Amino acid sequence: MTTDTATLRRGLRSRHIRFIALGSAIGTGLFYGSSEAIQAGGPAVLLAYLIGGAAVFLVLRSLGEMAVHHPCAGSFGEYATKHLGSLAGFTTGWTYAFEMVIVCIADITALGVYMGFWFPDVPRWIWLLAAIAVIGAINLLHVKVFGELEFWLSLVKIVAIIAMIIAGIAILVLGIKGGGAHVGISNLWNNGGFFAHGAHGFIISFAVVMFAFGGTEIIGVTAGEAENPEKTIPGAVNSIPLRIVLFYVLTLAVIMSLEPWQHVGSDGSPFVQIFVGLGIKSAAAVLNIVVVVAALSAINSDIFAAGRIMYGMAERRQAPSMMRRLSRNGVPTMTVAIMIGALLLGVLLNYLIPDRIFLIISSIATFATVWVWLMILLTQIKARRAMPAEESAALAYPAPFWPYGQIIAVAFMVGITALLAFSASTRIALIVGAVWLALLAVVHLIWIRPRNATAPDPTGKSPADTAPAPAE
């Protein structure tokens, strides 16, 4: 049931926001998609994660500057509207929602693969339907319940990753053998060299590497429901570099040391495959539980983020007004329902093309993710340049390396987008992305511009739209 007086609640504390960001960033891209990156770039993928992580850090610092200066539910969609114009805000907000839909489908796909570890003969779609029912119910609860659950789900992932790193290092130090494969840090350079596939493979690996970082921008979305955004947002953003080194670089370095990188396949999580190959099946079973939890956590965070961004867009008249309807707990119920519907589409795709869906979906998600990051950078550059000197100097959380770091990051994001054209398997992402942006431009022309023209105030809201959302 919805109410006409409900609003988004500021019920997320600092630990909630940090772990919601982890929940979105540490998921399928690391636990499953990393195998695709390893096969593309070999051990050099570690360097790709460091470079990509540095670029994402600049994006998040740029977003953090705006989120602390002006926290809101619409986040970067609202910032783009204000500083770059209605079309930029419209495409940014909806592309982020599209990104979350696609990432959710990738996460739900990986979940079905993980369950095959225990139940290889059970159809994948059965597990997907069960997961959708559970996650849907969670997202309809009060935001504090969501934040608390996501805190514990993400904590499980963090503890498991740290334990796996410690166990892997112990195996390397003690010289434990298993499965007939060579175990040792020399695996990072002895099997075709560190750049095993040369510069081409190293560059191509970025297409998957950047997918892994998708979702970190949820930090900006949480600002609208953070109890103390001027403290919680900087704390969450500043911890990103350590997470990248620990959860991506160090983890994958251990995995490729335990077994030659060529043996890391895509039939399941490489975390699980490594311990199966070493003959430590009990550890593999425990890790499979962890990667299932990781997938559920990532889906949970993505539904939350998409719902909040669509709610903010509805407030700016860039989405149907029904998306502003909130439950008595302050949850945007209609946007949650839309995301659940998208996940059901993922179930259908898994039934129709189970073998090809992940690479296709992850490529499309990479395009959408990089587009959103690019718009965040351009928005922050425009916003900072428009500020009076005294306002810029008084920023509570200014982005570093201004303006050269942001310019380099923009060039990097443009390069990643162009990179998708060089592989037949990822080229479809550019086609889908171009069609998507063209469709948004047409919708903006025939629907949004006429609505904005009738708005009586600079924010683009008419009196009817500033009224409370109607009850169901």
Side-chain angles (χ1 to χ4, degrees):
M1 178 178 180
T2 58
T3 176
D4 60 353
T5 59
T7 58
L8 289 180
R9 309 291 177 82
R10 289 190 180 273
L12 296 178
R13 299 178 180 176
S14 177
R15 63 186 178 90
H16 292 150
I17 290 176
R18 292 178 186 232
F19 282 81
I20 287 172
L22 278 175
S24 191
I26 301 177
T28 303
L30 175 62
F31 289 110
Y32 183 65
S34 56
S35 60
E36 299 280 357
I38 290 172
Q39 288 303 313
V45 75
L46 300 176
L47 182 59
Y49 275 105
L50 280 174
I51 295 173
V56 172
F57 177 65
L58 286 174
V59 172
L60 296 182
R61 282 300 303 264
S62 296
L63 176 58
E65 174 182 300
M66 295 184 290
V68 172
H69 191 58
H70 176 53
C72 62
S75 190
F76 36 82
E78 183 165 331
Y79 306 144
T81 299
K82 179 179 179 181
H83 298 289
L84 299 180
S86 176
L87 178 60
F90 182 71
T91 56
T92 300
W94 275 111
T95 301
Y96 179 71
F98 178 64
E99 172 197 342
M100 291 297 98
V101 168
I102 297 300
V103 170
C104 271
I105 293 176
D107 290 330
I108 205 76
T109 297
L111 178 66
V113 174
Y114 300 156
M115 295 305 295
F117 176 80
W118 293 303
F119 308 99
D121 298 325
V122 176
R124 186 184 297 178
W125 62 268
I126 292 178
W127 303 114
L128 308 190
L129 285 178
I132 290 171
V134 172
I135 295 298
I138 290 171
N139 272 270
L140 292 174
L141 300 175
H142 192 284
V143 68
K144 280 189 176 180
V145 177
F146 164 82
E148 198 65 30
L149 178 65
E150 189 56 36
F151 169 80
W152 290 106
L153 288 176
S154 296
L155 185 61
V156 168
K157 290 189 289 188
I158 295 170
V159 171
I161 290 174
I162 294 174
M164 188 238 125
I165 291 173
I166 294 173
I169 293 175
I171 290 172
L172 293 171
V173 172
L174 297 176
I176 299 174
K177 307 293 182 181
H182 177 266
V183 175
I185 195 172
S186 59
N187 282 339
L188 297 179
W189 58 80
N190 278 349
N191 297 284
F194 185 72
F195 290 90
H197 289 310
H200 177 265
F202 171 66
I203 293 173
I204 289 297
S205 71
F206 277 96
V208 183
V209 166
M210 299 314 290
F211 165 74
F213 295 128
T216 50
E217 66 278 1
I218 194 177
I219 291 174
V221 179
T222 59
E225 290 169 272
E227 291 183 342
N228 194 359
E230 63 273 11
K231 291 185 178 180
T232 56
I233 299 301
V237 172
N238 289 339
S239 62
I240 290 295
L242 177 61
R243 295 171 188 167
I244 289 171
V245 172
L246 179 62
F247 299 133
Y248 286 89
V249 180
L250 185 55
T251 301
L252 296 183
V254 169
I255 283 178
M256 289 185 286
S257 296
L258 293 177
E259 190 165 356
W261 64 268
Q262 304 97 314
H263 297 176
V264 179
S266 57
D267 295 331
S269 170
F271 289 69
V272 177
Q273 291 177 17
I274 292 301
F275 285 93
V276 169
L278 291 171
I280 312 175
K281 293 189 176 181
S282 58
V286 171
L287 277 174
N288 203 59
I289 293 174
V290 172
V291 296
V292 167
V293 169
L296 290 172
S297 170
I299 296 167
N300 199 32
S301 292
D302 293 340
I303 291 177
F304 169 88
R308 271 53 179 183
I309 205 78
M310 285 189 279
Y311 173 85
M313 293 185 69
E315 285 198 315
R316 299 191 305 279
R317 308 184 77 203
Q318 293 178 338
S321 59
M322 66 178 180
M323 293 183 180
R324 292 170 51 212
R325 293 178 176 174
L326 303 176
S327 70
R328 295 191 184 279
N329 290 329
V331 174
T333 51
M334 186 55 66
T335 59
V336 172
I338 291 171
M339 291 300 293
I340 296 301
L343 285 176
L344 292 175
L345 174 62
V347 174
L348 177 62
L349 291 174
N350 272 276
Y351 176 77
L352 296 175
I353 50 172
D355 297 329
R356 294 183 292 127
I357 181 175
F358 185 80
L359 184 58
I360 294 173
I361 290 298
S362 62
S363 299
I364 296 173
T366 298
F367 173 87
T369 299
V370 171
W371 173 267
V372 170
W373 289 340
L374 181 60
M375 296 306 292
I376 289 172
L377 289 165
L378 293 176
T379 300
Q380 187 266 337
I381 290 172
K382 182 68 179 294
R384 178 74 81 89
R385 286 179 173 172
M387 286 182 185
E390 57 273 16
E391 183 180 357
S392 178
L395 285 171
Y397 188 55
F401 311 117
W402 168 262
Y404 303 108
Q406 287 68 31
I407 294 172
I408 292 172
V410 166
F412 178 80
M413 296 305 168
V414 171
I416 294 297
T417 303
L419 178 64
L420 296 174
F422 290 91
S423 173
S425 58
T426 59
R427 201 170 296 134
I428 188 176
L430 282 182
I431 298 173
V432 172
V435 171
W436 169 256
L437 293 177
L439 177 63
L440 289 179
V442 171
V443 172
H444 183 271
L445 179 65
I446 64 177
W447 181 46
I448 301 300
R449 282 185 62 183
R451 297 185 76 190
N452 287 347
T454 62
D457 65 80
T459 64
K461 296 178 181 178
S462 67
D465 282 85
T466 56
E472 285 185 340

